[in-house]
Amino acid sequence: MRAFQSLRLVIGIFFAASMALTGCTRKLLPVPTDIPLTKYETSIVPEKITLENGLTIFVVEDRELPIVSGTLTIRGGSLLDKRRGLTPAMAGQMREGGAGDLTGAQLDTELQRLSAVIGSGAGQESISITFSCLAADLDRVFQLFSDVTLRPRFEESRLSLWRAQALENIRRRTDEPWTVAGIAFQQLIYGNTPYGAVTTSNDVRAITRSSLINLHKSAITPSGSYLSISGAVDSERVLELLEKNFGPNSEPWQIGASSTPPARSTILPKLDYEPRPGIYFIELPLTQ
């Protein structure tokens, strides 16, 4: 009770002080009505390059800082999954499960040594692979970036760790009321459609290394994809890096390769569900 009274006292003092300061501010600092408007030119027009293989590149050269960042966006996310949770798992493990000649642990160490970042993930409509590094390390980091994109290892040990964490997160969904409300709201709005689907424990257990490899082959294609790069680099340098790292042993990604349709359809499913307005209650198996 004393703690509650003390809290009320502190809140009361804070409120009174705020009102007093507000009054003083109004007397000492009247709001001016004749502030001149200043126009700032903030529009940046990137250089756009469209390759024959279907990849579109946007380059914004900015040499104020010796840093280069990039994002590869590929159409088609979790909404296309016949097995729920497969695309996010595949996208995350492209980076976490090692790539090229490096295991996941070795890739972590190499990026730490370079003070660089490479990430990968998937949303409902797209897959993204990102990188950020010092301009002096761009050759090495872009090589690692291409390995993550085209040559992921999908290590079984990292996949097992991901599976255990995903199952634990699902088990603990009812621990947080906001999580429960968010899932329920999603299902009420979108119903039994891909937009309202929620990954279950059975979905997670069904994801295997071979399923990730098969999805990677069909989903990671240049046709209809976008590569956005900004920083201390120009378009000629970007094209050189692409030809060096994405061309060899990967014909669809070669700069001169002809565009082919993606191996899997990227047409999003239609939403044919009408939500029913109302007040809904959710009963949770809680002991208190």
Side-chain angles (χ1 to χ4, degrees):
M1 179 64 69
R2 291 181 178 178
F4 180 70
Q5 292 175 346
S6 299
L7 179 61
R8 291 181 60 186
L9 178 61
V10 170
I11 294 175
I13 294 174
F14 178 78
F15 180 74
S18 300
M19 294 298 293
L21 288 174
T22 301
C24 292
T25 302
R26 287 179 178 176
K27 292 179 180 179
L28 298 177
L29 299 173
V31 178
T33 58
D34 56 346
I35 301 177
L37 298 177
T38 303
K39 183 178 180 181
Y40 295 94
E41 297 294 337
T42 58
S43 60
I44 298 176
V45 180
E47 183 177 355
K48 180 180 178 180
I49 305 170
T50 302
L51 302 182
E52 295 179 1
N53 62 8
L55 178 67
T56 300
I57 306 170
F58 297 98
V59 181
V60 176
E61 185 176 356
D62 182 2
R63 300 191 179 271
E64 183 176 358
L65 297 174
I67 296 175
V68 180
S69 300
T71 300
L72 175 63
T73 303
I74 301 169
R75 291 182 179 179
S78 60
L79 288 177
L80 303 178
D81 285 349
K82 295 181 180 178
R83 182 178 300 166
R84 287 174 294 189
L86 183 59
T87 297
M90 184 274 296
Q93 290 301 302
M94 286 172 63
R95 160 63 182 89
E96 295 300 324
D101 297 329
L102 301 181
T103 65
Q106 291 171 337
L107 181 56
D108 294 340
T109 301
E110 180 69 358
L111 291 174
Q112 290 176 0
R113 183 185 70 83
L114 296 169
S115 298
V117 176
I118 294 178
S120 60
Q124 287 190 316
E125 300 181 5
S126 64
I127 299 168
S128 61
I129 304 99
T130 63
F131 75 89
S132 180
C133 66
L134 294 173
D137 300 323
L138 181 58
D139 277 345
R140 176 57 174 159
V141 174
F142 202 87
Q143 178 189 356
L144 297 175
F145 171 72
S146 68
D147 285 340
V148 169
T149 303
L150 303 180
R151 295 170 284 275
R153 296 166 66 102
F154 295 123
E155 289 180 355
E156 190 63 54
S157 59
R158 289 289 179 102
L159 178 58
S160 297
L161 177 60
W162 168 85
R163 188 181 294 110
Q165 293 173 339
L167 290 173
E168 178 63 15
N169 290 336
I170 292 174
R171 187 187 68 82
R172 300 186 61 178
R173 278 175 179 169
T174 56
D175 292 352
E176 175 56 59
W178 290 110
T179 302
V180 176
I183 294 174
F185 182 77
Q186 179 180 347
Q187 294 177 327
L188 288 170
I189 293 297
Y190 297 113
N192 189 26
T193 69
Y195 295 86
V198 178
T199 304
T200 66
S201 298
N202 290 334
D203 295 326
V204 172
R205 294 190 184 97
I207 294 175
T208 62
R209 182 175 182 272
S210 61
S211 64
L212 300 185
I213 293 174
N214 291 333
L215 177 60
H216 179 268
K217 290 178 180 178
S218 63
I220 308 303
T221 60
S223 181
S225 300
Y226 300 87
L227 176 62
S228 304
I229 295 183
S230 64
V233 67
D234 56 31
S235 58
E236 292 184 4
R237 180 83 170 112
V238 171
L239 291 176
E240 290 176 1
L241 291 168
L242 281 170
E243 187 171 9
K244 178 181 179 181
N245 295 283
F246 279 78
N249 303 321
S250 182
E251 183 177 349
W253 286 86
Q254 291 178 3
I255 290 180
S258 59
S259 177
T260 58
R264 71 167 182 171
S265 173
T266 56
I267 300 176
L268 298 178
K270 294 182 179 180
L271 180 59
D272 53 356
Y273 178 79
E274 289 291 335
R276 297 176 60 185
I279 299 175
Y280 296 85
F281 295 89
I282 305 170
E283 293 187 4
L284 297 179
L286 302 178
T287 57
Q288 60 177 355

